Each structure stands twice: as structure tokens, then as C-alpha cells.
Amino acid sequence: MITLVPRILGFLFYYSPSHPSVEAILPALCDLPEQFESKHQAKIRTLVQKMAAQIQDSTKHDELAGEFSLLFEGLGEMPAPPWGSVYLDRESIVMGESTVEYRRFLAGNGIALDTQMREPDDQFGLMLLAFAQFMESEKFDASAELLELHLLPWALRYLEVLQQVEGVSPFYPNLAKVAHLYLTSLVEELELSPANKPLFK
């Protein structure tokens, strides 16, 4: 669960369903339930089956692409912004002080994101991918710090908001349920102590 799950979730939260990276990880999506503890596998399997059927349905691609733009690209008013500073900054702005702190943290641990776009580093999917990279490099202290200080203080709130978005298909709310269960499982498995930071959204 430690590296495969954040890779899959990171791609799905960061890339549009039509992106080659998403198409490449689709076969691994069906293996996702087995990466969770047995008590969660039935629930995850049901969610993943629904997600896989929807993302593989060619008639749904335009619909999902539109929802991705609404939820992740900032076109119009975003019902569930995926950037940490929106939740952690008193004025709920993108690229707030928490983003700057997270960028310093990444640089101090040898990660420089190059996404070919000018965007905040604290996007939920990107942060999961950074966590996976730390774990694969066996930088366990850095991975724990990423979760405890930079991701977990706001991520569960974000995922709750995403699950409650109205007028969209079940794909992204179901994805949020999987991610929420994954993060809460990580807290228990790694014995994490997330920082208690005030949230403003």
C-alpha cells in the first residue's frame, strides 16, 4: 500500500482522465483493493469497480474531462480547490505561506517539481506523488514530515468537501472516499501525529 496506492491516487488527482499517464495506470487500478487491509477491501473494491467502469467508458470521457476542469483546473468557481493553502491560509488564497513552506521543505529534501506549468506545489495529487517518491527513496523521515506537517492538516477536510460536491458524476467523490480511507489508514499504520492547524475553508 505504501507506494502503489499514492502513485495511483496521485495520478488520478493530478491528471485528466484522457492523459496518457492515467491510461497507463488503469490496469493497476483493479489491484488497488488488495493494497488495503482486509477489513477495507470489500468497500474499496466496490468503489474501484465503479470508478474503473466509468473511466473506461468512452462515452464518459468528455464528461469526466469537464469535471476535471471544474474540480482541478480552476475554471470558474471551484467547489473543492485541491491546494493546501486554500484551506490553511486565513484568506483562502492559492500560493499562500503554507505553499512557500512546503516548497522549502521539498527543496531541502532534494525534490524540485517540474510540471511544465506555473502552479502551486501543494496540489493534493502532486503531494501524494512526492510522498511516494520519498518512500521509494527510503526517505522515511521526510515522508512522515510531508504527511504530518504539510498534507494531513488539510487533506481530510478537502476530501470531505470533494465528496459533497453536487452536480458531478460519482467518479471524483468515489475517488475522494478511497483517498480518505487511505490517508486515515496511513495515520494508523505509520503511527503519525498530524499537526493541528486551523482551517479556513
Side-chain angles (χ1 to χ4, degrees), residues 66-180:
E67 292 178 358
F68 181 87
S69 294
L70 171 69
L71 297 171
F72 298 98
E73 294 183 331
L75 302 180
E77 184 175 350
M78 301 183 73
W83 302 288
S85 64
V86 175
Y87 300 85
L88 297 173
D89 187 273
R90 186 173 298 275
E91 297 181 359
S92 295
I93 60 173
V94 176
M95 294 289 288
E97 181 59 32
S98 64
T99 310
V100 176
E101 292 175 1
Y102 178 60
R103 185 170 289 172
R104 290 195 193 110
F105 161 75
L106 290 179
N109 285 280
I111 290 184
L113 297 179
D114 183 13
T115 63
Q116 309 300 318
M117 295 181 288
R118 297 182 62 184
E119 61 182 342
D121 303 81
D122 59 345
Q123 200 269 2
F124 181 75
L126 276 180
M127 294 182 81
L128 287 178
L129 293 173
F131 168 69
Q133 183 170 335
F134 280 139
M135 293 300 292
E136 289 165 358
S137 302
E138 298 186 351
K139 295 183 177 181
F140 302 124
D141 289 342
S143 66
E145 184 176 348
L146 187 156
L147 293 173
E148 292 180 324
L149 297 183
H150 301 287
L151 181 61
L152 287 171
W154 65 275
L156 298 182
R157 171 59 181 160
Y158 160 64
L159 294 171
E160 290 169 356
V161 172
L162 182 55
Q163 289 177 55
Q164 296 166 5
V165 173
E166 297 180 353
V168 297
S169 67
F171 182 83
Y172 287 108
N174 283 340
L175 181 62
K177 292 176 184 178
V178 175
H180 194 286

Side-chain angles (χ1 to χ4, degrees), residues 30 33-34 40-50:
C30 296
E34 279 61 45
H40 300 310
Q41 285 182 0
K43 181 177 181 179
I44 296 299
R45 186 172 291 108
T46 298
L47 292 170
V48 166
Q49 287 173 346
K50 292 178 179 178

